Amino acid sequence: MNRRNILWSAVSGLGAALGASSAKAATEGGTGNKLKVVYHLSDAEKVNFVLGNIQNHIDGVGGPDHVTIALVIHGPALKAFHSAQANPDISKRVGDFSKDGVELAACGNTMKAQNVTLTDLLPGFVSAEKGGVVRLAELQSQGYLYLRP
């Protein structure tokens, strides 16, 4: 009976030590890694909402140095980012996001359908040449969390 108690105590102690070690490793490992998030935008009526979400995200984590954000735009939403049509608030936000290191990717297929090039879009955009959905999948495969507000 005494041996059973000694064995149980040893196993319990080992489990507690391993659990504490794992928790410490997870905490230490998390401090050096920035969260990576990709926002998906295709609905024209959600442009301001999504841009607000991105700004809130950046502010909520303490600034752009604490998160890596990408915004992939396709479909009707891309029209809001045409230089000739963009309202001043959207232009300012896009400029700020670009300075903060947010990747602004425009779907190549949507650009063709809307007959626009990167020079027709607000400064800071890159082309997702294979398509917006392909870029979303690529980013997710690189560990980005997917958000579609």
Side-chain angles (χ1 to χ4, degrees), residues 38-132:
V38 57
Y39 283 82
H40 178 184
L41 175 60
S42 63
D43 302 322
E45 65 276 3
K46 290 187 178 181
V47 169
N48 286 316
F49 180 71
V50 171
L51 296 180
N53 278 188
I54 292 171
Q55 187 60 58
N56 290 341
H57 198 145
I58 291 169
D59 294 343
V61 297
D65 294 336
H66 301 284
V67 65
T68 300
I69 295 180
L71 171 61
V72 178
I73 304 168
H74 69 99
L78 189 61
K79 288 186 179 182
F81 300 93
H82 291 196
S83 297
Q85 297 174 226
N87 75 43
D89 181 53
I90 290 175
S91 297
K92 181 184 179 330
R93 285 182 178 200
V94 166
D96 290 346
F97 291 159
S98 185
K99 289 177 192 166
D100 287 344
V102 174
E103 176 187 314
L104 304 164
C107 173
N109 297 324
T110 301
M111 289 171 58
K112 286 177 193 168
Q114 294 179 4
N115 198 29
V116 296
T117 65
L118 283 177
T119 58
D120 298 317
L121 298 176
L122 294 170
F125 273 89
V126 297
S127 176
E129 293 179 20
K130 297 176 187 174

Coordinates of all heavy atoms in Angstrom, one line a residue, residues 38-132:
V38 N -5.4 38.2 -41.4 CA -5.8 38.7 -42.7 C -7.3 39.0 -42.7 O -8.1 38.2 -42.2 CB -5.5 37.7 -43.8 CG1 -6.1 36.3 -43.6 CG2 -5.9 38.2 -45.2
Y39 N -7.6 40.2 -43.1 CA -9.0 40.6 -43.2 C -9.4 40.4 -44.7 O -8.7 40.8 -45.6 CB -9.1 42.1 -42.8 CG -9.1 42.4 -41.4 CD1 -7.9 42.4 -40.6 CD2 -10.3 42.5 -40.6 CE1 -7.9 42.7 -39.3 CE2 -10.3 42.7 -39.3 CZ -9.1 42.8 -38.6 OH -9.1 43.0 -37.3
H40 N -10.6 39.9 -44.9 CA -11.2 39.7 -46.2 C -12.3 40.7 -46.4 O -13.3 40.7 -45.6 CB -11.7 38.2 -46.1 CG -12.4 37.8 -47.4 ND1 -13.0 36.6 -47.5 CD2 -12.6 38.4 -48.6 CE1 -13.5 36.4 -48.7 NE2 -13.3 37.5 -49.4
L41 N -12.3 41.4 -47.5 CA -13.3 42.4 -47.8 C -13.7 42.3 -49.2 O -12.9 42.4 -50.2 CB -12.7 43.8 -47.6 CG -13.6 45.0 -47.9 CD1 -14.9 45.0 -47.1 CD2 -12.8 46.3 -47.7
S42 N -15.0 42.0 -49.4 CA -15.6 42.0 -50.7 C -16.9 42.8 -50.9 O -17.3 43.2 -51.9 CB -15.9 40.6 -51.2 OG -16.8 39.9 -50.4
D43 N -17.5 43.1 -49.7 CA -18.8 43.8 -49.7 C -18.6 45.3 -49.7 O -18.0 45.8 -48.7 CB -19.7 43.4 -48.5 CG -19.9 41.9 -48.5 OD1 -20.2 41.3 -49.6 OD2 -19.9 41.3 -47.4
A44 N -19.1 46.0 -50.7 CA -18.9 47.4 -50.8 C -19.5 48.2 -49.6 O -18.9 49.2 -49.1 CB -19.5 48.0 -52.1
E45 N -20.6 47.7 -49.0 CA -21.2 48.4 -47.9 C -20.5 48.2 -46.6 O -20.8 48.8 -45.6 CB -22.7 48.0 -47.7 CG -22.9 46.5 -47.4 CD -22.9 45.6 -48.6 OE1 -22.7 46.0 -49.7 OE2 -23.1 44.4 -48.4
K46 N -19.5 47.3 -46.6 CA -18.7 47.0 -45.4 C -17.3 47.7 -45.3 O -16.5 47.5 -44.4 CB -18.5 45.5 -45.1 CG -19.8 44.9 -44.8 CD -19.6 43.4 -44.4 CE -20.9 42.7 -44.0 NZ -20.6 41.3 -43.6
V47 N -17.0 48.5 -46.3 CA -15.7 49.1 -46.5 C -15.3 49.9 -45.2 O -14.2 49.6 -44.6 CB -15.5 50.0 -47.7 CG1 -14.2 50.8 -47.7 CG2 -15.6 49.1 -49.0
N48 N -16.1 50.8 -44.8 CA -15.8 51.6 -43.6 C -15.7 50.8 -42.3 O -14.9 51.0 -41.5 CB -16.8 52.8 -43.5 CG -16.5 53.9 -44.5 OD1 -15.3 54.3 -44.7 ND2 -17.5 54.4 -45.1
F49 N -16.6 49.8 -42.2 CA -16.7 49.0 -41.1 C -15.4 48.2 -41.0 O -14.8 48.1 -39.9 CB -17.9 48.0 -41.2 CG -18.0 47.1 -40.0 CD1 -18.4 47.5 -38.8 CD2 -17.8 45.7 -40.2 CE1 -18.5 46.6 -37.7 CE2 -17.9 44.8 -39.2 CZ -18.3 45.3 -37.9
V50 N -14.9 47.6 -42.1 CA -13.7 46.8 -42.0 C -12.5 47.7 -41.8 O -11.6 47.3 -41.0 CB -13.5 46.0 -43.3 CG1 -12.2 45.3 -43.4 CG2 -14.7 44.9 -43.4
L51 N -12.4 48.8 -42.4 CA -11.3 49.7 -42.1 C -11.3 50.1 -40.7 O -10.2 50.2 -40.0 CB -11.3 50.9 -43.0 CG -11.2 50.6 -44.5 CD1 -11.3 51.9 -45.3 CD2 -9.9 49.9 -44.9
G52 N -12.4 50.4 -40.1 CA -12.5 50.7 -38.7 C -12.1 49.5 -37.8 O -11.4 49.7 -36.8
N53 N -12.4 48.3 -38.2 CA -12.0 47.1 -37.5 C -10.5 47.0 -37.5 O -9.9 46.7 -36.4 CB -12.6 45.8 -38.1 CG -14.0 45.5 -37.6 OD1 -14.5 44.4 -37.9 ND2 -14.6 46.4 -36.9
I54 N -9.9 47.2 -38.6 CA -8.4 47.1 -38.7 C -7.8 48.2 -37.8 O -6.8 47.9 -37.1 CB -7.9 47.3 -40.2 CG1 -8.4 46.1 -41.0 CG2 -6.4 47.4 -40.2 CD1 -8.2 46.2 -42.5
Q55 N -8.3 49.4 -37.8 CA -7.7 50.5 -36.9 C -7.9 50.1 -35.5 O -7.0 50.2 -34.7 CB -8.3 51.8 -37.2 CG -7.6 52.9 -36.5 CD -6.2 53.1 -36.9 OE1 -5.8 53.3 -38.0 NE2 -5.3 52.9 -35.9
N56 N -9.1 49.6 -35.1 CA -9.3 49.1 -33.7 C -8.4 48.0 -33.3 O -7.9 47.9 -32.2 CB -10.8 48.7 -33.6 CG -11.7 49.9 -33.6 OD1 -11.3 51.0 -33.5 ND2 -13.0 49.6 -33.9
H57 N -8.1 47.1 -34.3 CA -7.2 46.0 -34.0 C -5.8 46.5 -33.7 O -5.1 46.1 -32.8 CB -7.2 45.1 -35.3 CG -6.6 43.7 -35.0 ND1 -7.1 42.6 -35.6 CD2 -5.6 43.3 -34.2 CE1 -6.4 41.5 -35.2 NE2 -5.5 41.9 -34.3
I58 N -5.3 47.4 -34.6 CA -4.0 48.0 -34.4 C -3.9 48.7 -33.1 O -3.0 48.5 -32.3 CB -3.6 48.9 -35.6 CG1 -3.4 48.1 -36.9 CG2 -2.4 49.8 -35.3 CD1 -3.3 49.0 -38.1
D59 N -4.9 49.5 -32.8 CA -4.9 50.3 -31.5 C -5.0 49.3 -30.3 O -4.4 49.5 -29.3 CB -6.1 51.3 -31.5 CG -6.0 52.4 -32.5 OD1 -4.8 52.6 -33.0 OD2 -7.0 53.0 -32.8
G60 N -5.8 48.3 -30.5 CA -6.1 47.4 -29.4 C -4.9 46.5 -28.9 O -4.8 46.1 -27.8
V61 N -3.9 46.3 -29.8 CA -2.7 45.6 -29.5 C -1.6 46.5 -29.1 O -0.5 46.0 -28.9 CB -2.4 44.5 -30.6 CG1 -3.5 43.5 -30.8 CG2 -2.0 45.2 -31.9
G62 N -1.8 47.8 -29.2 CA -0.7 48.7 -28.8 C 0.1 49.2 -30.0 O 1.2 49.7 -29.8
G63 N -0.4 49.1 -31.2 CA 0.2 49.7 -32.3 C 0.6 48.7 -33.4 O 0.6 47.5 -33.1
P64 N 1.1 49.2 -34.5 CA 1.4 48.3 -35.6 C 2.6 47.4 -35.4 O 2.7 46.4 -36.1 CB 1.6 49.2 -36.8 CG 2.0 50.5 -36.2 CD 1.2 50.6 -34.9
D65 N 3.4 47.7 -34.4 CA 4.6 46.8 -34.2 C 4.2 45.5 -33.5 O 5.0 44.6 -33.4 CB 5.6 47.6 -33.3 CG 6.2 48.8 -34.0 OD1 6.2 48.8 -35.3 OD2 6.7 49.7 -33.4
H66 N 3.0 45.4 -33.0 CA 2.5 44.3 -32.3 C 1.6 43.3 -33.0 O 1.1 42.3 -32.4 CB 1.8 44.7 -31.0 CG 2.7 45.6 -30.1 ND1 3.7 45.1 -29.3 CD2 2.7 46.9 -30.0 CE1 4.3 46.1 -28.7 NE2 3.8 47.2 -29.1
V67 N 1.4 43.6 -34.3 CA 0.5 42.7 -35.1 C 0.9 42.9 -36.6 O 1.4 43.9 -37.0 CB -1.0 43.1 -34.9 CG1 -1.3 44.5 -35.4 CG2 -1.9 42.0 -35.5
T68 N 0.8 41.8 -37.3 CA 1.0 41.8 -38.8 C -0.4 41.6 -39.4 O -1.1 40.6 -39.2 CB 1.9 40.7 -39.2 OG1 3.2 40.9 -38.6 CG2 2.1 40.7 -40.7
I69 N -0.8 42.7 -40.2 CA -2.2 42.6 -40.8 C -2.1 42.7 -42.3 O -1.3 43.5 -42.8 CB -3.0 43.8 -40.2 CG1 -3.3 43.6 -38.7 CG2 -4.4 43.9 -41.0 CD1 -4.1 44.7 -38.1
A70 N -2.9 41.9 -42.9 CA -3.1 42.0 -44.4 C -4.6 42.2 -44.7 O -5.4 41.7 -43.9 CB -2.6 40.7 -45.1
L71 N -4.9 43.0 -45.7 CA -6.2 43.2 -46.1 C -6.3 42.8 -47.6 O -5.6 43.3 -48.4 CB -6.6 44.7 -46.0 CG -8.0 45.1 -46.6 CD1 -9.1 44.4 -46.0 CD2 -8.1 46.6 -46.5
V72 N -7.2 41.8 -47.9 CA -7.4 41.3 -49.2 C -8.8 41.8 -49.7 O -9.8 41.5 -49.0 CB -7.2 39.8 -49.3 CG1 -7.5 39.3 -50.7 CG2 -5.9 39.3 -48.8
I73 N -8.8 42.5 -50.8 CA -10.0 43.1 -51.3 C -10.3 42.5 -52.7 O -9.4 42.5 -53.5 CB -9.9 44.6 -51.4 CG1 -9.5 45.2 -50.0 CG2 -11.2 45.2 -51.9 CD1 -9.1 46.6 -50.1
H74 N -11.5 42.1 -52.9 CA -12.0 41.7 -54.2 C -13.5 42.1 -54.4 O -14.1 42.5 -53.4 CB -11.7 40.2 -54.4 CG -12.5 39.3 -53.6 ND1 -13.7 38.7 -54.1 CD2 -12.4 38.9 -52.3 CE1 -14.2 37.9 -53.1 NE2 -13.4 38.0 -52.1
G75 N -14.0 41.9 -55.6 CA -15.4 42.1 -55.8 C -15.7 43.6 -55.7 O -14.9 44.5 -55.9
P76 N -17.0 43.9 -55.5 CA -17.5 45.3 -55.5 C -16.8 46.2 -54.5 O -16.7 47.4 -54.8 CB -19.0 45.1 -55.1 CG -19.3 43.7 -55.4 CD -18.1 42.9 -55.2
A77 N -16.2 45.7 -53.5 CA -15.5 46.6 -52.5 C -14.3 47.3 -53.1 O -13.9 48.4 -52.6 CB -15.1 45.8 -51.3
L78 N -13.7 46.7 -54.1 CA -12.5 47.3 -54.7 C -12.8 48.7 -55.3 O -11.9 49.6 -55.3 CB -11.9 46.4 -55.7 CG -10.5 46.9 -56.2 CD1 -9.5 46.9 -55.1 CD2 -10.0 46.0 -57.3
K79 N -14.0 49.0 -55.7 CA -14.3 50.3 -56.3 C -14.1 51.4 -55.3 O -13.8 52.5 -55.7 CB -15.8 50.3 -56.8 CG -15.9 49.5 -58.1 CD -17.3 49.6 -58.7 CE -17.3 48.7 -59.9 NZ -18.6 48.8 -60.6
A80 N -14.3 51.2 -54.0 CA -14.1 52.2 -53.0 C -12.6 52.7 -52.9 O -12.3 53.7 -52.4 CB -14.5 51.7 -51.7
F81 N -11.7 51.9 -53.5 CA -10.3 52.2 -53.4 C -9.7 52.7 -54.8 O -8.5 52.8 -54.9 CB -9.5 50.9 -53.0 CG -10.0 50.5 -51.6 CD1 -11.0 49.5 -51.5 CD2 -9.5 51.0 -50.4 CE1 -11.5 49.1 -50.2 CE2 -9.9 50.6 -49.2 CZ -10.9 49.7 -49.1
H82 N -10.6 52.9 -55.7 CA -10.1 53.5 -57.0 C -9.7 55.0 -56.6 O -10.5 55.7 -56.0 CB -11.2 53.5 -58.0 CG -11.6 52.2 -58.6 ND1 -12.3 52.0 -59.7 CD2 -11.3 50.9 -58.1 CE1 -12.5 50.7 -60.0 NE2 -11.9 50.1 -59.0
S83 N -8.6 55.4 -57.1 CA -8.1 56.8 -56.8 C -9.1 57.8 -57.1 O -9.4 58.8 -56.4 CB -6.8 57.1 -57.5 OG -5.8 56.2 -57.0
A84 N -9.8 57.7 -58.3 CA -10.7 58.7 -58.8 C -12.0 58.8 -58.0 O -12.7 59.8 -58.0 CB -11.0 58.4 -60.3
Q85 N -12.4 57.7 -57.3 CA -13.6 57.6 -56.6 C -13.5 57.6 -55.1 O -14.5 57.8 -54.4 CB -14.4 56.3 -57.0 CG -14.7 56.2 -58.4 CD -15.3 54.9 -58.8 OE1 -15.0 54.3 -59.7 NE2 -16.2 54.3 -58.0
A86 N -12.3 57.4 -54.5 CA -12.2 57.2 -53.1 C -12.5 58.5 -52.3 O -12.0 59.6 -52.7 CB -10.8 56.7 -52.8
N87 N -13.2 58.4 -51.2 CA -13.5 59.5 -50.4 C -12.2 59.8 -49.6 O -11.4 59.0 -49.4 CB -14.8 59.4 -49.6 CG -14.6 58.4 -48.4 OD1 -13.7 58.5 -47.7 ND2 -15.6 57.6 -48.2
P88 N -12.1 61.1 -49.1 CA -10.9 61.5 -48.4 C -10.6 60.6 -47.1 O -9.4 60.3 -46.8 CB -11.2 62.9 -48.0 CG -12.2 63.4 -49.0 CD -13.0 62.2 -49.3
D89 N -11.6 60.2 -46.4 CA -11.4 59.3 -45.2 C -10.8 58.0 -45.6 O -9.8 57.6 -44.9 CB -12.7 59.1 -44.5 CG -12.6 58.3 -43.2 OD1 -11.7 58.7 -42.4 OD2 -13.3 57.3 -43.1
I90 N -11.3 57.4 -46.6 CA -10.7 56.1 -47.1 C -9.3 56.3 -47.6 O -8.4 55.5 -47.2 CB -11.6 55.4 -48.2 CG1 -12.9 55.0 -47.5 CG2 -10.9 54.3 -48.9 CD1 -13.9 54.4 -48.5
S91 N -9.0 57.4 -48.3 CA -7.7 57.7 -48.8 C -6.7 57.8 -47.6 O -5.6 57.3 -47.6 CB -7.6 58.9 -49.6 OG -8.4 58.8 -50.8
K92 N -7.1 58.5 -46.6 CA -6.3 58.8 -45.4 C -6.0 57.4 -44.7 O -4.9 57.1 -44.3 CB -6.9 59.8 -44.4 CG -6.0 60.0 -43.2 CD -6.7 61.0 -42.2 CE -5.9 61.2 -41.0 NZ -5.0 60.2 -40.5
R93 N -7.1 56.7 -44.5 CA -6.9 55.4 -43.8 C -5.9 54.5 -44.5 O -5.1 53.8 -43.9 CB -8.2 54.7 -43.6 CG -9.1 55.3 -42.5 CD -10.4 54.6 -42.3 NE -11.2 55.1 -41.3 CZ -12.1 54.4 -40.7 NH1 -12.4 53.2 -41.0 NH2 -12.8 55.0 -39.7
V94 N -6.1 54.4 -45.8 CA -5.2 53.5 -46.6 C -3.8 54.0 -46.5 O -2.9 53.2 -46.4 CB -5.7 53.4 -48.1 CG1 -4.7 52.8 -49.0 CG2 -7.0 52.6 -48.2
G95 N -3.6 55.3 -46.6 CA -2.2 55.8 -46.5 C -1.6 55.5 -45.1 O -0.5 55.1 -45.0
D96 N -2.4 55.6 -44.0 CA -2.0 55.3 -42.7 C -1.6 53.8 -42.6 O -0.6 53.4 -42.0 CB -3.0 55.7 -41.6 CG -3.1 57.2 -41.5 OD1 -2.3 58.0 -42.0 OD2 -4.2 57.6 -40.9
F97 N -2.5 53.0 -43.1 CA -2.3 51.5 -43.0 C -1.0 51.1 -43.8 O -0.2 50.3 -43.3 CB -3.5 50.8 -43.6 CG -4.7 50.8 -42.7 CD1 -6.0 50.6 -43.3 CD2 -4.7 51.1 -41.4 CE1 -7.1 50.6 -42.5 CE2 -5.8 51.2 -40.6 CZ -7.0 50.9 -41.2
S98 N -0.8 51.7 -44.9 CA 0.4 51.5 -45.7 C 1.6 51.8 -44.9 O 2.6 51.1 -44.9 CB 0.3 52.2 -47.1 OG 1.4 51.9 -47.9
K99 N 1.6 53.0 -44.3 CA 2.8 53.4 -43.5 C 3.0 52.5 -42.3 O 4.1 52.3 -41.8 CB 2.5 54.8 -42.9 CG 2.7 55.9 -44.0 CD 2.4 57.3 -43.4 CE 2.2 58.3 -44.5 NZ 1.6 59.5 -44.0
D100 N 1.9 51.9 -41.8 CA 1.9 51.0 -40.6 C 2.3 49.6 -41.0 O 2.4 48.7 -40.2 CB 0.6 50.9 -39.9 CG 0.3 52.2 -39.1 OD1 1.2 53.0 -38.8 OD2 -0.9 52.4 -38.7
G101 N 2.5 49.3 -42.3 CA 3.0 48.0 -42.8 C 1.8 47.0 -43.1 O 2.1 45.8 -43.3
V102 N 0.6 47.5 -43.2 CA -0.5 46.6 -43.5 C -0.4 46.3 -45.0 O -0.2 47.2 -45.8 CB -1.9 47.3 -43.2 CG1 -3.0 46.5 -43.8 CG2 -2.0 47.6 -41.8
E103 N -0.4 45.0 -45.3 CA -0.4 44.6 -46.7 C -1.8 44.9 -47.3 O -2.8 44.4 -46.8 CB -0.1 43.1 -46.9 CG -0.2 42.7 -48.3 CD 0.0 41.2 -48.5 OE1 0.9 40.6 -47.9 OE2 -0.8 40.6 -49.3
L104 N -1.9 45.6 -48.4 CA -3.2 45.9 -49.0 C -3.1 45.2 -50.4 O -2.5 45.7 -51.3 CB -3.3 47.5 -49.2 CG -3.2 48.3 -47.9 CD1 -2.9 49.7 -48.2 CD2 -4.4 48.1 -47.1
A105 N -3.8 44.1 -50.5 CA -3.8 43.3 -51.7 C -5.1 43.4 -52.5 O -6.2 43.2 -51.9 CB -3.6 41.9 -51.3
A106 N -5.0 43.8 -53.7 CA -6.2 43.9 -54.6 C -6.2 42.7 -55.5 O -5.2 42.3 -56.1 CB -6.1 45.2 -55.4
C107 N -7.4 42.0 -55.6 CA -7.6 40.9 -56.4 C -7.3 41.2 -57.9 O -7.9 42.1 -58.5 CB -9.0 40.3 -56.3 SG -9.4 39.0 -57.4
G108 N -6.4 40.4 -58.5 CA -6.1 40.6 -59.9 C -7.2 40.3 -60.8 O -7.4 41.0 -61.8
N109 N -8.1 39.4 -60.5 CA -9.3 39.1 -61.3 C -10.3 40.2 -61.2 O -10.8 40.6 -62.3 CB -9.9 37.8 -60.8 CG -9.0 36.6 -61.0 OD1 -8.2 36.5 -61.9 ND2 -9.1 35.7 -60.0
T110 N -10.4 40.8 -60.1 CA -11.4 41.9 -59.9 C -10.8 43.2 -60.6 O -11.6 43.9 -61.3 CB -11.6 42.3 -58.4 OG1 -12.2 41.1 -57.8 CG2 -12.5 43.4 -58.3
M111 N -9.5 43.3 -60.6 CA -8.9 44.5 -61.3 C -9.1 44.4 -62.8 O -9.5 45.4 -63.4 CB -7.4 44.5 -61.0 CG -7.1 45.0 -59.6 SD -5.3 44.9 -59.1 CE -4.5 45.9 -60.3
K112 N -9.0 43.2 -63.3 CA -9.3 43.0 -64.8 C -10.8 43.2 -65.1 O -11.1 43.9 -66.0 CB -8.9 41.5 -65.2 CG -7.5 41.3 -65.3 CD -7.2 39.8 -65.6 CE -5.7 39.5 -65.4 NZ -5.5 38.0 -65.5
A113 N -11.6 42.7 -64.2 CA -13.1 42.9 -64.4 C -13.5 44.4 -64.4 O -14.4 44.8 -65.1 CB -13.9 42.1 -63.4
Q114 N -12.8 45.1 -63.5 CA -13.1 46.5 -63.3 C -12.3 47.4 -64.3 O -12.4 48.6 -64.2 CB -13.0 47.0 -61.9 CG -14.0 46.3 -61.0 CD -13.8 46.7 -59.5 OE1 -13.0 47.6 -59.1 NE2 -14.6 46.1 -58.6
N115 N -11.4 46.8 -65.0 CA -10.5 47.4 -66.0 C -9.7 48.5 -65.3 O -9.6 49.7 -65.7 CB -11.3 48.1 -67.1 CG -10.5 48.4 -68.3 OD1 -9.4 47.8 -68.5 ND2 -10.9 49.4 -69.1
V116 N -9.0 48.1 -64.2 CA -8.1 49.0 -63.5 C -6.8 48.3 -63.3 O -6.6 47.1 -63.3 CB -8.7 49.4 -62.1 CG1 -10.0 50.2 -62.2 CG2 -8.9 48.3 -61.2
T117 N -5.8 49.2 -63.1 CA -4.4 48.7 -62.7 C -4.0 49.2 -61.4 O -4.8 50.0 -60.8 CB -3.4 49.2 -63.8 OG1 -3.3 50.6 -63.7 CG2 -3.8 48.8 -65.2
L118 N -2.9 48.9 -60.9 CA -2.4 49.4 -59.6 C -2.3 50.9 -59.5 O -2.6 51.5 -58.5 CB -1.1 48.7 -59.2 CG -1.1 47.3 -58.7 CD1 0.3 46.8 -58.4 CD2 -2.0 47.2 -57.4
T119 N -2.0 51.5 -60.7 CA -1.9 52.9 -60.7 C -3.2 53.6 -60.6 O -3.3 54.8 -60.3 CB -1.2 53.4 -62.0 OG1 -1.9 52.9 -63.1 CG2 0.3 52.9 -62.1
D120 N -4.3 52.9 -60.9 CA -5.7 53.4 -60.7 C -6.2 53.4 -59.3 O -7.2 54.0 -58.9 CB -6.6 52.7 -61.6 CG -6.3 52.9 -63.1 OD1 -5.9 54.0 -63.5 OD2 -6.4 51.9 -63.8
L121 N -5.5 52.6 -58.5 CA -5.9 52.4 -57.1 C -5.1 53.4 -56.2 O -4.1 53.9 -56.6 CB -5.6 50.9 -56.6 CG -6.4 49.9 -57.4 CD1 -6.0 48.5 -56.9 CD2 -7.9 50.1 -57.2
L122 N -5.6 53.5 -55.0 CA -4.9 54.4 -54.0 C -3.5 53.8 -53.8 O -3.2 52.6 -53.9 CB -5.6 54.4 -52.7 CG -7.0 55.0 -52.7 CD1 -7.7 54.8 -51.4 CD2 -6.9 56.5 -52.9
P123 N -2.5 54.7 -53.5 CA -1.1 54.2 -53.3 C -1.0 53.2 -52.1 O -1.7 53.3 -51.1 CB -0.4 55.5 -52.9 CG -1.2 56.6 -53.5 CD -2.6 56.1 -53.4
G124 N -0.2 52.3 -52.3 CA 0.1 51.3 -51.2 C -0.4 49.9 -51.6 O -0.1 48.9 -50.9
F125 N -1.2 49.8 -52.6 CA -1.8 48.5 -53.0 C -0.7 47.6 -53.7 O 0.1 48.1 -54.5 CB -3.0 48.6 -53.8 CG -4.3 48.8 -53.0 CD1 -4.7 50.0 -52.6 CD2 -5.0 47.7 -52.6 CE1 -5.8 50.2 -51.9 CE2 -6.1 47.8 -51.9 CZ -6.6 49.1 -51.5
V126 N -0.9 46.3 -53.5 CA -0.1 45.3 -54.3 C -1.2 44.5 -55.0 O -2.4 44.4 -54.6 CB 0.8 44.4 -53.5 CG1 1.9 45.3 -52.9 CG2 0.1 43.7 -52.5
S127 N -0.8 43.8 -56.1 CA -1.8 43.0 -56.8 C -1.7 41.5 -56.3 O -0.6 41.0 -56.2 CB -1.5 43.0 -58.3 OG -2.3 42.1 -59.0
A128 N -2.8 41.0 -56.0 CA -2.9 39.5 -55.8 C -3.2 38.9 -57.1 O -4.3 38.7 -57.5 CB -4.0 39.3 -54.8
E129 N -2.1 38.7 -57.9 CA -2.2 38.4 -59.3 C -3.0 37.1 -59.6 O -3.7 37.0 -60.5 CB -0.8 38.3 -59.9 CG -0.2 39.6 -60.0 CD 1.2 39.6 -60.6 OE1 1.5 38.6 -61.3 OE2 2.0 40.5 -60.3
K130 N -2.9 36.1 -58.7 CA -3.6 34.8 -58.8 C -5.0 34.9 -58.4 O -5.8 34.0 -58.6 CB -2.9 33.7 -58.1 CG -1.4 33.5 -58.5 CD -0.8 32.5 -57.6 CE 0.7 32.3 -58.0 NZ 1.3 31.4 -57.0
G131 N -5.4 36.0 -57.8 CA -6.8 36.2 -57.3 C -6.8 36.4 -55.8 O -5.9 36.0 -55.0
G132 N -7.8 37.1 -55.3 CA -8.0 37.4 -53.9 C -8.1 36.2 -53.1 O -7.5 36.0 -52.0

